[in-house]
Amino acid sequence: MLFRSLRDRKISFVVSASQAAGVFDVAAEKLRARVLFPISSIHTEALALIVDPGTANGPRIVLQRNSVEEPWFLAEPARSPAEATPVQKLLAAINSLRALQFYAGGAADARYGLSSGALQIGVQAAGQKQPAMVRFGSNARDGEFDITYACRVDALDEVVGVPQEPVRMARAPWTDYVTLDVVKLAQPVQRLDLVRAAGAKRTLMRKD
């Protein structure tokens, strides 16, 4: 048993050791960071998104924008304007990557699948010199949750479990982000000249 007191109220009381431990354990758990990326709003503050699928899983993807008012573009592995919808899906997925559980052992524990060749996702906001990178490993089931093990690259001794679905969405191929618009015309087209490689020509014109 443990004796405690509220000095300002001149009250003394007795609690069991298990009750006291439970209170402090719950408080410590609530204080642990559950947000993996130190940015208050991914949608409005991020200027760069990096998705490195890992060893032998395809090229690194880098999406950038010059300011939060400007559109996103694909910087790696090819340079192209970015399709808005896939980028918004990626932002939503990253925003959902919050710790559900915490695990002991660190990234070196093989059961977590967090080797240096694993999937890594990074976010960089204005004023940050380097992107915050998070590594993702094996999938698992923990109680009612389907999780993926994860850890920040700058804190490899802290392993967490995040929802699986956002990680799956972040594994989209880089071609999903390439805009399919070959050319955008601001004015109505009155005439279209088609020229084949062999030299044949064809002209299409509007009647109105």
Side-chain angles (χ1 to χ4, degrees):
M1 304 296 290
L2 299 175
F3 292 91
R4 291 289 184 266
S5 64
L6 301 176
R7 294 182 179 179
D8 58 335
R9 300 185 184 181
K10 298 181 179 180
I11 297 174
S12 298
F13 57 94
V14 178
V15 297
S16 68
S18 61
Q19 287 177 320
V23 170
F24 290 115
D25 286 346
V26 170
E29 181 70 12
K30 288 184 177 180
L31 287 172
R32 301 183 77 172
R34 293 185 177 270
V35 178
L36 299 182
F37 297 97
I39 299 175
S40 58
S41 175
I42 298 291
H43 288 272
T44 60
E45 296 181 24
L47 294 180
L49 306 174
I50 300 99
V51 180
D52 187 341
T55 306
N57 289 321
R60 187 176 80 149
I61 301 169
V62 178
L63 293 158
Q64 295 179 336
R65 57 180 173 178
N66 295 321
S67 72
V68 295
E69 291 83 17
E70 295 188 45
W72 290 91
F73 63 90
L74 183 67
E76 293 181 30
R79 195 170 183 88
S80 165
E83 194 70 29
T85 299
V87 173
Q88 291 304 312
K89 288 182 178 179
L90 177 60
L91 287 168
I94 293 174
N95 196 53
S96 299
L97 293 171
R98 298 171 184 267
L100 300 175
Q101 295 287 354
F102 297 86
Y103 302 93
D109 193 322
R111 61 179 163 163
Y112 298 136
L114 291 167
S115 65
S116 58
L119 167 70
Q120 294 189 146
I121 296 175
V123 179
Q124 185 172 2
Q128 294 181 332
K129 294 182 178 180
Q130 298 292 333
M133 301 294 297
V134 177
R135 187 178 298 175
F136 299 88
S138 304
N139 294 331
R141 179 80 177 178
D142 189 340
E144 61 181 304
F145 300 113
D146 290 318
I147 64 162
T148 298
Y149 295 117
C151 65
R152 287 185 53 161
V153 172
D154 60 354
L156 296 176
D157 58 333
E158 298 178 4
V159 177
V160 301
V162 300
Q164 277 186 27
E165 183 59 19
V167 180
R168 185 194 66 79
M169 294 175 63
R171 294 183 186 274
W174 70 271
T175 51
D176 283 10
Y177 301 104
V178 178
T179 182
L180 300 180
D181 295 325
V182 177
V183 62
K184 291 185 178 180
L185 302 175
Q187 300 296 327
V189 176
Q190 298 294 330
R191 171 172 170 163
L192 182 63
D193 294 318
L194 304 176
V195 181
R196 295 182 178 274
K201 299 180 180 180
R202 185 179 182 184
T203 299
L204 303 176
M205 299 184 64
R206 296 182 57 164
K207 293 183 178 180
D208 55 347

Coordinates of all heavy atoms in Angstrom, one line a residue, residues 36-39 42 46-53 60-64 72 90-91 94-95 97 118-125 128 130-136 151-153 170:
L36 N 3.6 10.9 -36.4 CA 5.0 10.6 -36.9 C 5.7 11.7 -37.6 O 6.9 11.8 -37.5 CB 4.9 9.4 -37.8 CG 4.3 8.1 -37.3 CD1 4.3 7.0 -38.3 CD2 5.1 7.7 -36.0
F37 N 4.9 12.6 -38.3 CA 5.6 13.7 -39.0 C 5.3 15.0 -38.2 O 4.2 15.4 -38.0 CB 5.0 13.8 -40.4 CG 5.3 12.6 -41.3 CD1 4.3 11.6 -41.4 CD2 6.5 12.5 -41.9 CE1 4.6 10.5 -42.1 CE2 6.8 11.3 -42.7 CZ 5.8 10.3 -42.8
P38 N 6.4 15.8 -37.9 CA 6.2 17.0 -37.0 C 5.8 18.2 -37.8 O 6.4 19.2 -37.9 CB 7.7 17.2 -36.5 CG 8.5 16.6 -37.6 CD 7.8 15.5 -38.2
I39 N 4.6 18.0 -38.5 CA 4.0 19.1 -39.2 C 2.5 19.2 -38.8 O 1.8 18.2 -38.8 CB 4.1 18.9 -40.8 CG1 5.6 18.8 -41.2 CG2 3.4 20.0 -41.5 CD1 5.8 18.4 -42.6
I42 N -0.4 18.6 -42.9 CA 0.3 18.1 -44.1 C -0.2 18.7 -45.3 O 0.5 19.1 -46.2 CB 0.1 16.5 -44.1 CG1 0.7 15.8 -42.9 CG2 0.7 16.0 -45.4 CD1 2.2 15.9 -42.9
A46 N 3.1 21.1 -46.3 CA 4.1 20.3 -47.0 C 4.5 20.9 -48.3 O 3.6 21.3 -49.1 CB 3.6 18.9 -47.2
L47 N 5.8 20.9 -48.6 CA 6.3 21.4 -49.9 C 7.0 20.3 -50.7 O 7.2 20.4 -51.9 CB 7.3 22.5 -49.7 CG 6.8 23.8 -49.1 CD1 7.9 24.9 -49.0 CD2 5.6 24.4 -50.0
A48 N 7.3 19.2 -50.0 CA 7.9 18.0 -50.7 C 7.4 16.7 -50.0 O 7.3 16.6 -48.8 CB 9.4 18.1 -50.6
L49 N 7.2 15.8 -50.9 CA 6.8 14.4 -50.4 C 7.7 13.4 -51.1 O 7.9 13.5 -52.3 CB 5.3 14.1 -50.8 CG 4.3 15.1 -50.4 CD1 2.9 14.7 -51.0 CD2 4.2 15.2 -48.9
I50 N 8.3 12.6 -50.3 CA 9.2 11.5 -50.8 C 8.7 10.2 -50.5 O 8.3 9.9 -49.3 CB 10.6 11.7 -50.2 CG1 11.2 13.1 -50.5 CG2 11.6 10.6 -50.7 CD1 11.1 14.1 -49.4
V51 N 8.6 9.3 -51.5 CA 8.3 7.9 -51.3 C 9.4 7.1 -51.9 O 9.5 7.0 -53.1 CB 6.9 7.6 -51.9 CG1 6.6 6.1 -51.7 CG2 5.8 8.5 -51.4
D52 N 10.2 6.4 -51.0 CA 11.2 5.5 -51.4 C 10.7 4.1 -51.2 O 10.7 3.7 -50.1 CB 12.5 5.8 -50.7 CG 13.7 5.0 -51.2 OD1 13.5 4.0 -51.9 OD2 14.8 5.4 -50.9
P53 N 10.4 3.4 -52.3 CA 9.7 2.1 -52.1 C 10.7 1.0 -51.5 O 10.2 -0.1 -51.2 CB 9.2 1.7 -53.5 CG 10.1 2.5 -54.4 CD 10.4 3.8 -53.7
R60 N 12.6 5.9 -56.6 CA 12.2 6.9 -55.6 C 11.3 7.9 -56.2 O 11.5 8.4 -57.4 CB 13.4 7.6 -55.0 CG 13.0 8.4 -53.8 CD 14.2 9.0 -53.1 NE 14.7 10.2 -53.8 CZ 15.3 11.2 -53.2 NH1 15.5 11.2 -51.9 NH2 15.7 12.2 -54.0
I61 N 10.2 8.3 -55.5 CA 9.2 9.2 -56.0 C 9.4 10.5 -55.2 O 9.4 10.5 -54.0 CB 7.8 8.7 -55.9 CG1 7.6 7.4 -56.7 CG2 6.8 9.8 -56.3 CD1 6.3 6.7 -56.4
V62 N 9.5 11.6 -55.9 CA 9.6 12.9 -55.2 C 8.6 13.9 -55.8 O 8.6 14.1 -57.0 CB 11.0 13.6 -55.3 CG1 11.0 14.9 -54.6 CG2 12.1 12.7 -54.7
L63 N 7.7 14.4 -55.0 CA 6.7 15.4 -55.4 C 7.0 16.7 -54.7 O 7.3 16.7 -53.5 CB 5.3 14.9 -55.1 CG 4.7 13.7 -55.8 CD1 3.6 13.0 -55.0 CD2 4.3 14.1 -57.2
Q64 N 6.9 17.8 -55.5 CA 7.3 19.1 -54.9 C 6.3 20.1 -55.4 O 5.6 20.0 -56.3 CB 8.7 19.5 -55.3 CG 9.8 18.6 -54.8 CD 11.2 19.0 -55.2 OE1 11.3 19.7 -56.3 NE2 12.2 18.6 -54.5
W72 N 1.3 20.9 -57.4 CA 2.4 19.9 -57.2 C 2.9 19.5 -58.6 O 2.2 19.5 -59.6 CB 1.8 18.7 -56.5 CG 1.5 18.9 -55.0 CD1 0.3 19.4 -54.5 CD2 2.4 18.8 -53.9 NE1 0.4 19.5 -53.2 CE2 1.7 19.1 -52.8 CE3 3.7 18.4 -53.8 CZ2 2.2 19.1 -51.5 CZ3 4.3 18.3 -52.5 CH2 3.6 18.7 -51.4
L90 N -2.4 10.7 -51.6 CA -1.1 10.5 -50.9 C -1.1 11.4 -49.6 O -0.7 10.9 -48.5 CB 0.1 10.8 -51.8 CG 1.4 10.6 -51.1 CD1 1.6 9.2 -50.6 CD2 2.5 11.0 -52.1
L91 N -1.4 12.6 -49.7 CA -1.4 13.5 -48.5 C -2.4 13.0 -47.5 O -2.0 13.0 -46.3 CB -1.9 14.9 -49.0 CG -0.9 15.7 -49.8 CD1 -1.5 16.9 -50.4 CD2 0.3 16.1 -48.9
I94 N -0.7 9.9 -45.8 CA 0.3 10.3 -44.9 C -0.2 10.9 -43.6 O 0.2 10.7 -42.5 CB 1.3 11.3 -45.6 CG1 2.1 10.6 -46.7 CG2 2.3 11.9 -44.6 CD1 2.9 11.6 -47.5
N95 N -1.3 11.7 -43.7 CA -1.9 12.3 -42.6 C -2.6 11.3 -41.6 O -2.8 11.6 -40.5 CB -3.0 13.3 -43.1 CG -3.4 14.3 -42.0 OD1 -2.6 14.9 -41.3 ND2 -4.8 14.3 -41.7
L97 N -1.2 8.4 -40.9 CA -0.1 7.5 -40.4 C 0.2 8.0 -38.9 O 1.2 8.7 -38.7 CB 1.1 7.6 -41.2 CG 1.0 7.0 -42.6 CD1 2.2 7.3 -43.5 CD2 0.8 5.5 -42.5
A118 N 13.8 -1.0 -46.5 CA 12.4 -1.0 -46.4 C 11.8 0.3 -47.0 O 12.5 1.3 -47.3 CB 11.9 -1.2 -45.0
L119 N 10.5 0.3 -47.2 CA 9.8 1.5 -47.6 C 10.0 2.7 -46.7 O 10.0 2.5 -45.5 CB 8.3 1.2 -47.7 CG 7.3 2.4 -47.9 CD1 7.5 3.0 -49.3 CD2 5.9 2.0 -47.6
Q120 N 10.3 3.9 -47.3 CA 10.4 5.1 -46.5 C 9.6 6.2 -47.1 O 9.6 6.4 -48.3 CB 11.9 5.5 -46.4 CG 12.8 4.5 -45.6 CD 14.2 5.1 -45.3 OE1 14.8 4.8 -44.3 NE2 14.7 5.8 -46.2
I121 N 9.0 7.0 -46.2 CA 8.2 8.1 -46.7 C 8.7 9.4 -45.9 O 8.9 9.3 -44.7 CB 6.7 7.9 -46.4 CG1 6.2 6.7 -47.2 CG2 5.9 9.2 -46.7 CD1 4.7 6.4 -46.8
G122 N 8.8 10.5 -46.7 CA 9.3 11.7 -46.1 C 8.4 12.9 -46.4 O 7.8 12.9 -47.5
V123 N 8.4 13.8 -45.5 CA 7.6 15.1 -45.7 C 8.5 16.2 -45.3 O 9.2 16.2 -44.2 CB 6.4 15.1 -44.8 CG1 5.6 16.4 -45.0 CG2 5.5 13.9 -45.2
Q124 N 8.5 17.3 -46.1 CA 9.3 18.5 -45.8 C 8.4 19.7 -45.9 O 7.8 19.8 -46.9 CB 10.5 18.6 -46.7 CG 11.5 19.7 -46.3 CD 12.8 19.7 -47.1 OE1 13.0 18.8 -48.0 NE2 13.7 20.6 -46.9
A125 N 8.5 20.5 -44.9 CA 7.7 21.8 -45.0 C 8.6 23.0 -45.1 O 9.9 22.8 -45.0 CB 6.8 21.9 -43.7
Q128 N 12.1 23.8 -43.1 CA 12.8 22.6 -42.6 C 14.0 22.3 -43.6 O 13.8 22.2 -44.8 CB 11.9 21.4 -42.6 CG 10.8 21.5 -41.5 CD 9.9 20.3 -41.5 OE1 9.7 19.6 -42.5 NE2 9.3 20.0 -40.3
Q130 N 15.7 19.5 -43.8 CA 15.7 18.1 -44.2 C 14.3 17.5 -44.0 O 13.6 17.9 -43.1 CB 16.7 17.2 -43.4 CG 18.1 17.6 -43.6 CD 18.6 17.3 -45.0 OE1 18.1 16.4 -45.7 NE2 19.7 18.1 -45.4
P131 N 13.8 16.6 -44.9 CA 12.5 16.0 -44.7 C 12.5 15.1 -43.5 O 13.5 14.5 -43.2 CB 12.3 15.2 -46.0 CG 13.6 14.9 -46.5 CD 14.5 16.1 -46.1
A132 N 11.4 15.0 -42.8 CA 11.2 14.0 -41.8 C 10.9 12.7 -42.4 O 9.9 12.6 -43.2 CB 10.1 14.4 -40.8
M133 N 11.7 11.7 -42.2 CA 11.6 10.4 -42.8 C 11.1 9.3 -41.9 O 11.6 9.2 -40.7 CB 12.9 9.9 -43.4 CG 13.5 10.9 -44.5 SD 12.5 11.0 -46.0 CE 12.6 9.4 -46.6
V134 N 10.1 8.5 -42.3 CA 9.6 7.4 -41.5 C 9.8 6.1 -42.3 O 9.5 6.1 -43.6 CB 8.1 7.6 -41.2 CG1 7.6 6.4 -40.4 CG2 8.0 8.9 -40.4
R135 N 10.2 5.1 -41.7 CA 10.4 3.8 -42.3 C 9.3 2.8 -42.0 O 8.8 2.8 -40.8 CB 11.8 3.2 -41.8 CG 12.2 1.9 -42.6 CD 13.6 1.5 -42.0 NE 14.6 2.5 -42.3 CZ 15.9 2.4 -41.8 NH1 16.2 1.4 -41.1 NH2 16.8 3.3 -42.1
F136 N 8.9 2.0 -42.9 CA 7.8 1.1 -42.7 C 8.2 -0.4 -43.1 O 8.9 -0.6 -44.0 CB 6.6 1.5 -43.6 CG 6.1 2.8 -43.3 CD1 6.6 4.0 -44.0 CD2 5.1 3.1 -42.4 CE1 6.2 5.2 -43.7 CE2 4.6 4.3 -42.1 CZ 5.2 5.4 -42.8
C151 N 8.9 3.3 -37.9 CA 9.8 4.0 -37.0 C 10.3 5.2 -37.7 O 10.5 5.2 -38.9 CB 10.9 3.2 -36.4 SG 12.1 2.7 -37.7
R152 N 10.6 6.3 -37.0 CA 11.2 7.4 -37.6 C 12.7 7.1 -37.8 O 13.3 6.4 -37.0 CB 11.1 8.7 -36.8 CG 9.7 9.2 -36.8 CD 9.5 10.5 -36.1 NE 10.5 11.5 -36.5 CZ 10.4 12.8 -36.2 NH1 9.3 13.3 -35.6 NH2 11.3 13.7 -36.6
V153 N 13.3 7.6 -38.9 CA 14.7 7.3 -39.3 C 15.6 7.9 -38.2 O 16.7 7.4 -38.0 CB 15.0 7.8 -40.7 CG1 16.5 7.7 -41.0 CG2 14.2 7.0 -41.7
A170 N 0.2 4.5 -50.0 CA 1.4 5.2 -50.3 C 2.4 4.4 -51.2 O 3.3 5.0 -51.8 CB 2.2 5.5 -49.0

